[in-house]
Amino acid sequence: MALRSVACVLQRSAVDLGLRSHVRGVRSTAVLGHRSPPQGLMPNEEIDSSQLDSLEKYRSYTRYVRAAEEADRRDVWWKTYRKYRDEEKKEAVEPVNIGLPYQRPSRTTEVRERRKVMMENKKNPELERADRLRNFRIPLDRVKAEWEKSNGPYHIQRLAEHYGIYKDLFPMAYFVPRVMLRVAYGDDSNTVVHYGNCLTPNQATQAPQISFEAEKDSLWTLLLTSPDEHLMDSEQEYLHWLVGNIPGNSVMSGEDICHYISPFPAKGTGFHRYVFILFKQDVPVNFSSHLRPSPCYCLKQRTFRTLDFYREYQDKITPAGLAFFQSQWDESVTNTFHELLNMREPVFDYERPPVYHPPQKKYPHGQPLRYLDRYRNGTEHTYGIY
């Protein structure tokens, strides 16, 4: 009734002012602003604020936590943040695992093998003596090998999710890298690609050394792409390297579909991701549709999309290995754009010109005391003692 009376008063005033066309909007706004009554008690409505001293005291943090957990499990008529999140998770589509199949050994077998190793170590007098003298050393190579067989693939998967590799290259899909891919740049292979470490484009000018464990009669495909580098379309990528039909782990014996080109992140665009993906082939694959001329220094021809490539050959290839690094602009990128790509270098950063200073005077009469500070780092001679 109160809303109806307010609407009538507004309608009369609107008629007096000649605003009859706006009356309907005012009436609808008043109706939409009406709130429905709550379906039950509001939070803490049963507590009498005038008698707070009579409430039961928790007297310990444990009791408070127990009471909070009971209140959290209690069914209420309003929607909590957790309910909203649960509904979103139910509506979301679960990502699909497109990697190699894996059957984890039973927990009983793992515990039995672990106990066996512990018993053997206890019977070893050399280990017991080294432990007692506190000079026992654990070889890191064995630790790394054990990590690669057990938890390593899952750790790499979590790192790839953190850096958005799956989200940008394989939307609504993921894979666990079961095959450890080792990538190293340089003549002595001292610049190693891990999982998100930073390398400069100057360090990655030449094709890296690739190694992985594989059977002799197996076939593989190696891909290097960058999801952040495309200058025209953010959904596209630039293909940096593609080698197919690799026999065993001999990358040099594979079919060079697109030859290697060094990273060229544009100036002012920050760090770019460069992802190595190793695919396992079931049968020999014909990659003639993706064959690039050699050498290929045309960015239009190097435009690529990993998702489309995988969809075309998903019945024949399976992602098995992963490694990636980050890189940002350095001076070698300018040479790549000018000499290899034969184009002007795109710059997304303001290049501030150097501050101009007039030629230095040996006897600067009438100048401030900080006159010599202008020429301290210059190439010309600076007069004075400082």
Side-chain angles (χ1 to χ4, degrees):
M1 296 295 294
L3 290 174
R4 186 177 299 175
S5 59
V6 171
C8 294
V9 172
L10 291 175
Q11 184 175 2
R12 295 194 192 97
S13 60
V15 172
D16 297 338
L17 297 175
L19 301 176
R20 184 183 298 271
S21 60
H22 298 284
V23 175
R24 182 178 300 176
V26 173
R27 184 183 301 173
S28 61
T29 304
V31 173
L32 292 175
H34 175 65
R35 294 184 178 179
S36 59
Q39 302 177 7
L41 293 177
M42 297 297 290
N44 299 329
E45 190 174 356
E46 69 277 4
I47 298 177
D48 189 1
S49 59
S50 60
Q51 299 179 0
L52 295 179
D53 296 336
S54 62
L55 295 176
E56 182 182 359
K57 304 298 189 296
Y58 296 113
R59 300 186 183 280
S60 69
Y61 181 73
T62 305
R63 294 181 181 178
Y64 166 74
V65 171
R66 190 181 300 116
E69 291 176 352
E70 292 178 358
D72 187 43
R73 289 192 296 266
R74 194 179 304 144
D75 191 16
V76 293
W77 61 268
W78 64 82
K79 280 188 177 181
T80 60
Y81 175 76
R82 181 177 299 175
K83 289 184 179 180
Y84 278 107
R85 292 294 298 169
D86 292 342
E87 291 180 358
E88 291 180 358
K89 291 180 181 178
K90 291 180 180 178
E91 295 177 357
V93 181
E94 290 290 334
V96 182
N97 186 1
I98 59 176
L100 293 175
Y102 177 74
Q103 184 177 2
R104 183 175 180 178
S106 63
R107 179 66 177 173
T108 306
T109 305
E110 292 181 353
V111 172
R112 188 183 300 112
E113 293 179 355
R114 187 175 302 173
R115 288 179 179 177
K116 183 180 179 181
V117 173
M118 292 175 62
M119 293 300 295
E120 292 178 355
N121 292 338
K122 288 181 179 180
K123 294 178 181 179
N124 191 339
E126 296 180 358
L127 293 180
E128 189 275 334
R129 184 174 182 274
D131 184 47
R132 179 164 41 82
L133 297 177
R134 296 184 179 181
N135 57 6
F136 178 68
R137 297 292 182 267
I138 301 176
L140 296 181
D141 295 338
R142 290 180 56 187
V143 175
K144 185 177 180 181
E146 184 65 25
W147 173 79
E148 291 178 351
K149 293 179 181 179
S150 56
N151 297 329
Y154 301 101
H155 291 174
I156 299 173
Q157 177 193 354
R158 287 162 55 185
L159 286 172
E161 290 176 352
H162 173 74
Y163 282 95
I165 303 298
Y166 300 134
K167 180 184 66 175
D168 295 336
L169 298 184
F170 302 97
M172 302 309 299
Y174 72 97
F175 67 93
V176 181
R178 300 294 177 185
V179 180
M180 289 297 158
L181 182 63
R182 300 173 182 85
V183 184
Y185 283 96
D187 297 334
D188 52 354
S189 300
N190 56 353
T191 306
V192 182
V193 176
H194 296 290
Y195 311 102
N197 58 320
C198 297
L199 301 179
T200 62
N202 190 27
Q203 292 176 320
T205 53
Q206 302 296 328
Q209 302 293 329
I210 307 294
S211 61
F212 56 92
E213 296 181 359
E215 300 176 356
K216 293 184 179 180
D217 56 347
S218 60
L219 293 175
W220 304 82
T221 298
L222 180 65
L223 168 68
L224 173 58
T225 183
S226 175
D228 309 318
E229 204 174 37
H230 205 281
L231 299 174
M232 305 299 294
D233 188 359
S234 60
E235 298 295 330
Q236 299 290 333
E237 310 158 20
Y238 281 139
L239 180 62
H240 283 260
W241 199 19
L242 182 58
V243 184
N245 297 318
I246 301 173
N249 56 1
S250 179
V251 179
M252 302 302 296
S253 303
E255 180 184 355
D256 197 4
I257 303 169
C258 182
H259 74 94
Y260 179 84
I261 188 173
S262 61
F264 47 90
K267 188 175 184 179
T269 56
F271 284 93
H272 292 203
R273 297 164 295 173
Y274 295 88
V275 187
F276 290 88
I277 303 178
L278 183 66
F279 297 91
K280 185 175 183 180
Q281 300 178 200
D282 299 333
V283 294
V285 181
N286 182 13
F287 294 106
S288 59
S289 60
H290 294 275
L291 186 63
R292 266 70 169 179
S294 182
C296 178
Y297 296 122
C298 178
L299 294 183
K300 186 176 181 181
Q301 293 179 350
R302 283 189 175 267
T303 299
F304 183 78
R305 195 162 182 233
T306 305
L307 182 61
D308 297 339
F309 175 79
Y310 175 71
R311 283 176 176 172
E312 184 176 354
Y313 303 104
Q314 61 181 344
D315 296 334
K316 302 177 182 179
I317 62 175
T318 305
L322 179 67
F324 56 95
F325 68 96
Q326 301 181 83
S327 183
Q328 64 176 349
W329 181 91
D330 66 359
E331 294 180 355
S332 64
V333 177
T334 304
N335 298 330
T336 302
F337 276 106
H338 291 173
E339 298 177 4
L340 297 182
L341 301 179
N342 195 20
M343 60 178 291
R344 294 180 58 185
E345 180 185 9
V347 178
F348 299 90
D349 191 12
Y350 176 69
E351 297 182 356
R352 189 178 298 276
V355 180
Y356 171 76
H357 295 300
Q360 184 182 2
K361 298 179 181 180
K362 187 173 184 179
Y363 303 104
H365 299 288
Q367 296 294 335
L369 294 177
R370 300 194 60 183
Y371 174 78
L372 296 177
D373 292 341
R374 305 178 184 176
Y375 308 95
R376 289 184 184 275
N377 298 326
T379 57
E380 299 180 1
H381 179 69
T382 302
Y383 302 99
I385 301 174
Y386 40 83

